[in-house]
Amino acid sequence: MSYAYLFKYIIIGDTGVGKSCLLLQFTDKRFQPVHDLTIGVEFGARMITIDNKPIKLQIWDTAGQESFRSITRSYYRGAAGALLVYDITRRETFNHLASWLEDARQHANANMTIMLIGNKCDLAHRRAVSTEEGEQFAKEHGLIFMEASAKTAQNVEEAFIKTAATIYKKIQDGVFDVSNESYGIKVGYGGIPGPSGGRDGASSQAGGCCS
Amino acid sequence: MQEAELHDLSDDADYAASQQQGSSSTMRTDSIKRSSSNEPDGAEIVYSKDNVAIHPTQFVSERISGRLKLIKQGSSLFMTWLPYKEQNSNAKQIEKAYVDRNLYTIKAVPFTEVRSIRRHAPPLGWQYVIIVLSSGLAFPPFYFYNGGVRQFLATIKQHVFLVRSAEDASVFLVNDFENPLQRTFSSLELPRLVSVASGPSTPISVGESPLKENQERINGYESSSISQYNGRQRQKVHDPTRDISIQVLEKFSLVTKFARETTSQLFRDGHSNGFGTFEKMFDSQPAQDDLHKASNNAEKVTDEIPVASDPLEFDKLSLVWGKPRQPPLGSEEWATFLDNEGRVMDSEALRKRIFYGGVEHGLRREVWGLLLGYYAYDSTYAEREYLRTIKSQKCILAFLLNYDFSISPEQARRFTKFRERKGLIDKDVVRTDRALTFYDGDDNPNVNLLRDTLLTYSFYNFDLGYCQGMSDLMSPILFVMRDESESFWCFVQLMERLGPNFNRDQSGMHSQLFALSKLAELLDSPLHNYFKQNDCLNYFFCFRWLLIQFKREFEYEETMRLWEVLWTHYLSEHLHLYVCVAVLKRYRRKIMGEQMDFDTLLKFINELSGHIKLDAILRDAEALCICAGENGAANIPPGTPPSLPIDSGLFYSQQEDEVL
């Protein structure tokens, strides 16, 4: 399948926050509550269209448990986007965001676009983290933010696509040298290489949030 | 220095009582002892006490009275307790009494097997003693209705080394030449159960000392099971549960039917069902009988074992690309590996057979127990059954500890951690093999078993705890064993070897990945160099293979087949690393031809799941292992899992010196 660009995503966050379910909802448009826990890493892929250009998302879904961090870190390399996921019904998964972010900042390239996702927003009655807190955290750390539900599919499509749109915009703005694959972007057949060598646009990193 | 105190039992609280009650049997005992104790050979009764009873239930009418004797034979002292025959009861009671008698009869337990005796002198009621064996097993309390506890202890003291515990004045330690406290703790070392249940036996003893057992095994492959045994003991040294274990263990001896009613609330969390098997622990008589027969046949059996030629010597010629795989071992053929008591006559031959074909599913329960070291190869049917019953009690013990609601602040702290782990395990068991009928559906009891066994383990090995991947390893074991305690203990055995896979610092994984890179370099240097040039030298793409022994790469049945082949440790303990190399070799052309980078390679390897042909890969791995020979083994650093850890040995043995 031909694409203009291929973006590598990585999904990170504590165990059990719904990383694999988000991926499955996005790639297969279904919710499967009964699936095997992730060991190491799993892959998913889907084509999307942005600005009329076919873009392939290659998504790495990682294991969340603390002791696998040293292995997980090797997966950050060359990721253009990251979905950092917490569970709005479990406070501790929100509390651990800072440490995940630190890992990401340290091991991924500096221009990686990070989308913060408060998952399981269908379980509002069990909510332990308010939307405002999520927004606040995102704002402080320069992340895009959304609450989503892998179960109801609410905002799932949007989260993946908005991340891609942000990355695409960075390409347009010349933030990335797309000929350098370490940015997590591959130019496909029929793709139009953006302006190259434009590292100076780093400050344009998306900082907005939406909900 | 304590000599005077050691032999002074005058503070014995029941001394007066025994004098008061001063039955004729006490006097008789004394006279027997004095008249016969000088004879060097032959069995002599040095103590005999009537009306020593056990209480199977709380009803006085159901107590079983009998005669307790101490018998001297040569330099050894034995204890027997034989219940009286029931006289004036109805048929049903007689039948029940018969069953109970068989259940509780003690025939000649040597004092070399006895660890401690606790004497209880309650202000109201009769004195009783609880006898704890070195195995950790305890007999039900013996109530001395005619008094004589002091006499009992004094007589023992004349024949074996008996010392009052420094920790607890009501406990007398038997043959304790070291620090009494240490020995009390070591009596709790769970693995010692194995030595009682599986040790070869003399006509009169239940088991043999672990030392002799070890010596007998040291020459063969079995030597690894010794270090396994030691390793387990080392781990247990750190076990936080140990401190309270002694108390709990003694409580268990009280938990006969007698105490069941009053203690059952402790187990209301659904774990009380194990008590059925707990009661069986006293049913050692059949096992002893079998042991008698076994020892009589022992020589004959040894003669019948064919002299095996060195299998490797012979096989090398025919092995160029691995032998064709055989059909799995079936029950008829399995029977040919066993003597009439159920011992595996030639474990090497058995392991070889399983290496080349695995076993039929129906046999897995027993064979896995052997491969994992849960049963000794030279254990009999009866001993294996015996072990199952004792161990199921031990499993409950672990559960009791889980639900022991904390005693000290330290335990409260651990309990918090434990609760966190429980949350993790709860989340993971519902994400483990749920597509399998055995684990599917809502409220599946097998999922609960999976949770319980993992939970128990996380407490049993508190330092390691729970880590993702363990549920993948436990799942097939539970599927095969179908029993909570057997699964737990088999998992304990497996984790002796694979535990380091789950170290927090990933050290176990890194050492295997390192060994894998060395093997790949040896067996396919162009491929290894390719990885080097493409920044793939960490071999992280094999992470999942190693962590859970290829569990996610094959169908369930194939995984079980692969595991039993790996667990034979035939040819190599590290066959799994050769399996890795074999798979990589098989796809080397594609990997190098398509110039895969790390990401692509990782994805490619991940997607091999379900596409690897097990038999073909095993043949390749076998061939690679034989080709590599000693060079291969030399490239795997000592202690690389699933070898038993060696580097920590020094550390642990120092700990042992301190604590034991």
Side-chain angles (χ1 to χ4, degrees), chain B residues 41-52:
Chain B
D41 283 313
E44 37 180 316
I45 299 165
V46 292
Y47 173 91
S48 175
K49 177 59 74 182
D50 281 306
N51 280 323
V52 176

Side-chain angles (χ1 to χ4, degrees), chain A residues 87-92 94 123-124 126-130 133:
Chain A
D87 174 352
I88 65 153
T89 70
R90 284 194 295 144
R91 184 86 204 171
E92 71 271 20
F94 181 76
L123 300 175
R126 283 167 48 196
R127 180 186 284 277
V129 183
S130 71
E133 285 175 291

Side-chain angles (χ1 to χ4, degrees), chain A residues 8 15 34 37 41 65 67, chain B residues 434 468 506 552 599 606:
Chain A
K8 173 181 169 179
T15 181
V34 176
L37 66 99
V41 65
Q65 191 169 336
S67 49
Chain B
R434 295 302 294 284
Q468 288 188 334
Q506 294 287 313
R552 299 286 181 95
D599 285 12
N606 244 46

Side-chain angles (χ1 to χ4, degrees), chain A residues 11-133:
Chain A
I11 312 183
I12 52 175
D14 277 9
T15 181
V17 296
K19 298 183 291 296
S20 301
C21 287
L22 283 168
L23 174 59
L24 198 68
Q25 182 59 259
F26 178 66
T27 57
D28 291 28
K29 297 193 187 304
R30 65 196 168 98
F31 177 67
Q32 192 185 358
V34 176
H35 63 92
D36 283 356
L37 66 99
T38 307
I39 299 288
V41 65
E42 298 281 351
F43 293 88
R46 211 189 105 180
M47 294 292 288
I48 57 168
T49 307
I50 288 177
D51 196 18
N52 287 323
K53 292 193 175 61
I55 291 174
K56 183 174 180 177
L57 301 182
Q58 184 193 79
I59 305 148
W60 295 38
D61 170 28
T62 64
Q65 191 169 336
E66 175 72 27
S67 49
F68 296 135
R69 288 274 190 109
S70 68
I71 303 288
T72 308
R73 283 177 193 129
S74 70
Y75 304 146
Y76 285 102
R77 190 169 52 178
L83 305 188
L84 172 55
V85 187
Y86 67 95
D87 174 352
I88 65 153
T89 70
R90 284 194 295 144
R91 184 86 204 171
E92 71 271 20
T93 65
F94 181 76
N95 296 340
H96 294 157
L97 288 178
S99 121
W100 281 109
L101 208 54
E102 193 184 315
D103 258 18
R105 299 277 192 231
Q106 201 171 340
H107 299 279
N109 82 68
N111 291 315
M112 183 170 75
T113 302
I114 303 175
M115 163 73 78
L116 179 66
I117 297 180
N119 192 28
K120 309 194 188 180
C121 70
D122 56 298
L123 300 175
H125 57 292
R126 283 167 48 196
R127 180 186 284 277
V129 183
S130 71
T131 308
E132 292 71 27
E133 285 175 291

Side-chain angles (χ1 to χ4, degrees), chain B residues 443-513:
Chain B
D443 300 321
N444 185 324
N446 295 322
V447 175
N448 295 336
L449 281 180
L450 189 63
R451 183 199 60 206
D452 290 349
T453 43
L454 288 167
L455 205 54
T456 306
Y457 185 78
S458 80
F459 204 73
Y460 173 85
N461 191 344
F462 202 90
D463 290 343
L464 189 61
Y466 171 77
C467 182
Q468 288 188 334
M470 285 185 181
S471 66
D472 275 274
L473 294 180
M474 183 70 94
S475 159
I477 291 177
L478 187 62
F479 177 74
V480 164
M481 298 292 166
R482 307 269 159 156
D483 172 88
E484 183 178 329
S485 81
E486 275 179 82
S487 304
F488 171 75
W489 289 109
C490 283
F491 186 72
V492 166
Q493 291 288 343
L494 181 65
M495 293 307 284
E496 284 295 321
R497 293 177 171 277
L498 294 183
N501 282 14
F502 302 100
N503 287 348
R504 291 278 167 276
D505 60 0
Q506 294 287 313
S507 57
M509 287 303 297
H510 285 294
S511 65
Q512 284 174 90
L513 290 166

